[in-house]
Amino acid sequence: MTPIRHTFIAALAAACALAAAPAQAKGCIKGAVVGGVAGHVAGRHAVAGAVVGCAVGHHLAAKKEREEREERAAARAAAAGPGPASSPRP
């Protein structure tokens, strides 16, 4: 088999394995594709690029989700207005 076919089979196997747990794979597939292409362009490092791309993509997706959760919490707190603790005492 050619090296490209080995890479394709490895990428396909990784995609199938990740499809079993889609909730934990946020950002991984996209990062793996980008990393695999970058690794291939860098010179026969497609699998290593895919692995690193998956890790980076997952990290960035988790970071984005955390930031969105914090923004929603801040918007809810602002919509609720000041609580009884901030009212002046008589």
Side-chain angles (χ1 to χ4, degrees):
M1 280 201 252
T2 64
I4 293 174
R5 187 172 287 173
H6 285 287
T7 303
F8 177 74
I9 291 171
L12 184 61
C16 290
L18 294 174
Q24 296 177 357
K26 282 190 175 180
C28 182
I29 303 297
K30 186 177 182 181
V33 169
V34 172
V37 170
H40 174 73
V41 171
R44 305 191 71 162
H45 299 292
V47 176
V51 170
V52 172
C54 176
V56 170
H58 181 72
H59 170 73
L60 293 176
K63 182 179 175 183
K64 180 180 177 185
E65 184 178 331
R66 183 177 58 244
E67 289 171 352
E68 288 173 353
R69 188 172 49 240
E70 289 171 356
E71 287 176 7
R72 284 193 305 268
R76 258 187 263 129
S86 63
S87 61
R89 293 186 175 179

